[in-house]
Amino acid sequence: MAELTRTDQTPARTAPPTRVVTALRITGIYVVARIITFTFLFISSALAAPGSRFGPGLGIERFITGWDGQWYWQIAFQGYPSPLPLTDTGAVAENAWAFMPLYPWVANVIGMPFGSWATGAAITSLVCGLLSCFALYRLMRNRLSRNVSMWAVVFFANGPLAALFHVGYAEAMFTLFLLLALNAVLRRRFAELYILIPLMGFTRPGILPFALMLGLYGMWRWFRRDRDPLPRIQIIHILATGALAVLVGFSWQIIAGIVTGDLGAYLSTELAWRRNWLAEPATAFIPFEAWGAALNMWFGLWQVPVFLGWLTFGVLLALIGWALLRERHVLAMGVELRLWSASYMLYLLAVFFPQSSTLRLLLPLTPLVGAIAIPRSPWWRGGILIGGVLYQWFWIYSVYALAATVYQIP
C-alpha cells in the first residue's frame, strides 16, 4: 500500500482554462465594456447642446444613425445614386458611393423583425465587436500567452474607439473579417482568404493594403524558404489571394463607374469630402498628395511654423518605422502583423486626407494592441485601461454631444 500513497508535497498544476471558460471571460469583459460605453452615450445624449448637429433632447438612436450612419441607412433603403449628384458649381457632391454595401445590407436584414434599421445596425455592430474580441484573442495566441492575449482583449474592448461597437459604422464588421484573415495567414489556412477577402472588400475600404501585405509576405517566405519550406500549393494560394485582393480592391471603382456612367465616380466622390476642409481641393486624385495639403492646413490652423510641423511629422514617421523594425514588444507580434501594420499605414499615407476621422481610420491597426499588452506592470496596464476609457468619453462627448464644428466629425 505504501507505493500508492502520495508523498510528493508539490501542489498539482492548475489546468489551463477550457475554451468555455475563456469564452466566458471574453464575453464578460466585452459586456462590462459595453455597459460603460452605453453609459457614456446615454450621458452624451442628455448633454447634447442646442448647437450640436443632433440637437438637445435626442435618443441614442440618433447617435446610431448619425454621421456616416446616415449614409449606410440611405444605402439600405435607397441604394446608390445614378447619375451622381452635383453641387451648384457642377462638382460631384458627397454621396453614398464612398461607402460599401455589406454592412448596411446585413443591418437591414437584422433590423427587419424590429422594424428599425438603427436597431439592426446596433445589433450588427455589437455582435461583430464581440466576435472581434474572440478573433483578436485567437490571433494573439499565435504569439502571446493567455494572460497577455486576454489583456489585449481588455484594451481593445475598452479602447478610445469603443463607441464604434454601438453605432451604425462598418468598422466593427471590417475589424472582425480582418482579424480572421490575419489569423488565416499566420496559421497558413489560405483557403479561408477566398471568402474573407471579398467580405472585407465590400465592407469598408482597406483591402488593397491587405494585397500589399500578402505580396510582402510572399517575398518574405520566398527568401527564407531554406529555413521554412514554402510548398508549391502555398505559393499558388499567396499569389491567387493577393490577385483576388487587388481585383476586389478596384472592383468598387469599376462598379460605380458602370452604374453611374462615370468611370471616375468613386474617386470624384471621395474628393468631394475634401471640399469641407480645403478652399481649393485637388480636382484629381494624386497618391500621397492629400497629406501635404492637409498638414499645411493644420499647421496654419494650429499656428505651427511649417518647417517645425514637417520636422515633427518626419520624426513621427521615423519612430513608427523604428518601432515596426526594432521595438521588442512589436517584434514579438511576428512579421505578418508587422507587415500588415506597415502596409496599412502606407495605404493611409497614399490615399487618406488626414482630418477629424484620423483616429477612427487607425482601428485596422488593432493587432498592435498585443504589443501594448505585453508589459506586465500593473501600473502600465492600469494606465492604458484608464486612458482608453477616458479618451473614449472625450471622443463620444466631442463628436456626439458637442458635434458643433467640422472638427468634431468621427
Side-chain angles (χ1 to χ4, degrees):
M1 296 293 292
E3 64 272 15
L4 298 180
T5 302
R6 179 181 174 87
T7 59
D8 181 11
Q9 298 302 311
T10 303
R13 290 184 178 180
T14 303
T18 64
R19 292 184 177 181
V20 173
V21 173
T22 299
L24 289 175
R25 289 177 179 174
I26 294 173
T27 302
I29 290 169
Y30 187 75
V31 169
V32 172
R34 299 289 61 77
I35 291 173
I36 293 172
T37 304
F38 183 82
T39 302
F40 288 165
L41 289 167
F42 181 79
I43 295 174
S44 292
S45 68
L47 296 177
S52 166
R53 171 189 177 96
F54 299 94
L58 69 157
I60 300 296
E61 183 175 350
R62 287 286 306 279
F63 286 170
I64 295 173
T65 57
W67 298 118
D68 287 358
Q70 66 181 327
W71 293 110
Y72 288 119
W73 176 88
Q74 180 177 319
I75 292 167
F77 288 96
Q78 301 176 12
Y80 291 91
S82 178
L84 291 172
L86 303 177
T87 66
D88 294 338
T89 62
V92 174
E94 298 174 357
N95 65 85
W97 282 109
F99 305 90
M100 306 304 175
L102 185 58
Y103 175 82
W105 290 351
V106 171
N108 193 38
V109 171
I110 293 177
M112 282 182 179
F114 305 96
S116 167
W117 184 87
T119 301
I123 293 173
T124 301
S125 293
L126 283 168
V127 172
C128 286
L130 175 60
L131 295 178
S132 293
C133 288
F134 285 110
L136 176 64
Y137 180 84
R138 186 181 181 189
L139 179 65
M140 295 296 98
R141 287 293 289 124
N142 288 295
R143 297 282 188 268
L144 307 175
S145 68
R146 291 185 179 89
N147 180 265
V148 172
S149 299
M150 195 64 72
W151 271 103
V153 172
V154 171
F155 294 154
F156 173 63
N158 293 278
L161 297 170
L164 294 174
F165 302 139
H166 294 256
V167 299
Y169 274 59
E171 268 70 15
M173 179 179 283
F174 181 85
T175 301
L176 170 61
F177 296 145
L178 171 65
L179 295 173
L180 292 174
L182 290 172
N183 186 69
V185 174
L186 263 68
R187 294 174 179 255
R188 300 179 182 179
R189 298 176 180 175
F190 298 106
E192 299 175 10
L193 296 179
Y194 294 101
I195 297 175
L196 291 169
I197 285 174
L199 291 176
M200 292 168 61
F202 291 105
T203 298
R204 176 189 175 280
I207 195 61
L208 288 177
F210 194 81
L212 175 59
M213 186 273 290
L214 286 173
L216 296 173
Y217 170 78
M219 294 171 60
W220 174 72
R221 289 288 307 279
W222 176 262
F223 286 116
R224 62 193 306 271
R225 65 189 185 280
D226 57 333
R227 291 167 288 166
D228 181 8
L230 181 60
R232 181 177 300 176
I233 186 61
Q234 291 192 15
I235 296 176
I236 294 173
H237 278 313
I238 293 170
L239 292 174
T241 55
L244 176 63
V246 171
L247 177 63
V248 171
F250 286 104
S251 64
W252 192 244
Q253 297 184 37
I254 298 172
I255 293 171
I258 293 174
V259 173
T260 63
D262 181 354
L263 295 180
Y266 176 73
L267 293 179
S268 297
T269 297
E270 289 289 355
L271 290 173
W273 263 265
R274 298 185 188 180
R275 283 192 291 272
N276 293 325
W277 302 89
L278 298 176
E280 298 180 2
T283 57
F285 171 74
I286 302 174
F288 301 100
E289 176 271 341
W291 278 82
L295 289 179
N296 286 331
M297 176 197 74
W298 286 113
F299 296 154
L301 290 173
W302 295 333
Q303 297 182 343
V304 175
V306 174
F307 171 77
L308 180 60
W310 279 103
L311 178 62
T312 304
F313 181 66
V315 171
L316 178 61
L317 288 182
L319 288 174
I320 292 173
W322 171 83
L324 291 175
L325 291 172
R326 297 293 183 183
E327 207 284 322
R328 62 188 181 92
H329 299 105
V330 178
L331 291 177
M333 303 305 300
V335 69
E336 298 91 344
L337 300 186
R338 290 188 291 133
L339 287 176
W340 160 250
S341 301
S343 298
Y344 185 72
M345 283 189 273
L346 181 62
Y347 168 78
L348 290 183
L349 287 174
V351 307
F352 180 59
F353 181 86
Q355 26 83 2
S356 62
S357 299
T358 300
L359 181 64
R360 174 172 60 86
L361 269 291
L362 298 179
L363 190 62
L365 296 176
T366 289
L368 291 179
V369 73
I372 300 174
I374 291 176
R376 297 182 179 182
S377 167
W379 292 102
W380 169 263
R381 287 174 170 172
I384 293 295
L385 177 58
I386 293 173
V389 172
L390 290 178
Y391 196 92
Q392 181 186 151
W393 160 252
F394 171 77
W395 193 77
I396 292 172
Y397 178 71
S398 296
V399 303
Y400 288 110
L402 298 182
T405 73
V406 73
Y407 311 119
Q408 294 166 328
I409 300 175

